[in-house]
Amino acid sequence: MKPPLAFAKDIPELQAAQLQSIGEKIYQNETGSNPEHLIAWNNGEAFASLGLGHFIWFPKDIKSPFTETFPSLLQYLQAQNVAIPAWLQQQQYCPWQTKQDFMGAKNSNEMQELRSLLASTFEHQVAFIHQRMRQSLPLMLAEVDNPETQGLVKTRFHALAATELGMYSLVDYVNFKGEGIALTERYNNQGWGLLQVLLNMQLDTQNQHLAFTQACDAMLTRRVKNSPQKQVEQNWLLGWRKRCSTYSNIG
């Protein structure tokens, strides 16, 4: 059995209202705050994206470089004693193999139960995303050998976590593009997750929030440049940049 994941220390505890505020922003980022988009299958992708965080769920035998998160959300919900539909408890893989299958099942009982579960567990979903952010720092530090670089990552992470805007930015970006530690989540051996963003922040001339936004933009631009499906990801880049802009100005 795997040991329990460690959590970053010295991070301010969030009140329910703060978590709700972060959850509303993520919901806007991922779905446009449209409940119809809680269940989605994006063009150019081979998997479903579910919930306010668009958690990834793979069909059986799908190979993808991205980190699957929906099964972990289900485990989290069950640990919180949330009632899960029986079919979903027994379903390891997304039961719809293609986007066409997925869209064809839109009015099925299973889809209706799934939609109801996701619409009624916002509080749990944002708590799950926040937990992933808190677990991200030890995971990132374990990937960095140089003590000086470890110190840089830790200092920048904690500085952001100390502000309301920075906390939202960390929580959202980890859910959005991952910790940056998965070897599969790299193109030309270059990642785009939180670790790479923290390492590429330029703090000499601007505040940390703007530096974080600019580093996110740079890492995602690099990702598209290196992408094996550049045409598809280029179409996503404008939306990604708009999302990153909220890290320095919520508005």
Side-chain angles (χ1 to χ4, degrees):
M1 189 171 74
K2 292 182 179 179
L5 288 172
F7 289 90
K9 299 176 181 178
D10 304 323
I11 292 182
E13 290 292 327
L14 294 183
Q15 301 298 318
Q18 292 173 302
L19 276 174
Q20 181 179 347
S21 176
I22 290 173
E24 288 172 354
K25 294 179 180 70
I26 296 174
Y27 183 38
Q28 171 64 34
N29 290 339
E30 291 287 0
T31 72
S33 299
N34 185 341
E36 288 297 314
H37 298 158
L38 283 172
I39 294 180
W41 190 303
N42 297 322
N43 290 330
E45 294 181 341
F47 46 79
S49 296
L50 307 172
L52 75 85
H54 271 187
F55 309 106
I56 292 174
W57 197 16
F58 295 146
K60 189 175 182 180
D61 298 328
I62 288 294
K63 294 182 186 280
S64 171
F66 306 117
T67 300
E68 187 179 36
T69 48
F70 184 68
S72 297
L73 172 66
L74 288 180
Q75 292 175 4
Y76 179 85
L77 293 176
Q78 290 177 293
Q80 301 299 312
N81 297 315
V82 174
I84 305 294
W87 71 271
L88 202 50
Q89 295 179 33
Q90 302 163 8
Q91 191 73 46
Q92 180 180 358
Y93 302 103
C94 177
W96 304 286
Q97 193 69 24
T98 66
K99 181 174 183 177
Q100 184 177 3
D101 294 340
F102 182 83
M103 298 303 294
K106 187 175 182 180
N107 296 316
S108 67
N109 289 335
E110 289 84 1
M111 195 74 84
Q112 297 296 340
E113 289 183 341
L114 180 58
R115 186 177 287 107
S116 177
L117 174 69
L118 295 170
S120 63
T121 55
F122 274 32
E123 181 180 336
H124 293 91
Q125 291 174 56
V126 70
F128 169 75
I129 297 170
H130 180 241
Q131 175 180 275
R132 183 179 178 187
M133 184 279 290
R134 292 183 60 222
Q135 292 170 337
S136 68
L137 182 59
L139 293 173
M140 291 188 294
L141 294 178
E143 293 297 309
V144 179
D145 295 329
N146 186 298
E148 184 178 346
T149 306
Q150 285 182 334
L152 191 69
V153 171
K154 190 173 182 180
T155 297
R156 292 177 176 177
F157 182 95
H158 282 292
L160 286 163
T163 72
E164 185 174 345
L165 180 56
M167 178 67 79
Y168 151 68
S169 303
L170 291 171
V171 174
D172 186 70
Y173 197 82
V174 165
N175 179 70
F176 176 38
K177 292 302 176 195
E179 299 88 351
I181 61 172
L183 294 179
T184 57
E185 292 185 329
R186 297 183 184 179
Y187 297 155
N188 289 340
N189 205 33
Q190 294 183 315
W192 52 78
L194 181 59
L195 176 60
Q196 288 77 36
V197 170
L198 293 174
L199 289 174
N200 283 276
M201 288 173 66
Q202 303 297 318
L203 287 167
D204 50 347
T205 59
Q206 69 260 342
N207 67 59
Q208 63 174 345
H209 302 300
L210 184 56
F212 186 79
T213 287
Q214 293 178 342
C216 290
D217 188 300
M219 294 303 95
L220 294 175
T221 300
R222 185 178 74 179
R223 165 179 163 160
V224 171
K225 182 180 179 181
N226 291 329
S227 175
Q229 51 172 3
K230 188 180 299 185
Q231 194 73 33
V232 173
E233 297 203 7
Q234 182 67 47
N235 292 331
W236 298 337
L237 186 57
L238 184 61
W240 290 350
R241 285 174 168 162
K242 182 178 179 181
R243 181 171 187 159
C244 293
S245 71
T246 67
Y247 301 152
S248 53
N249 180 24
I250 286 185

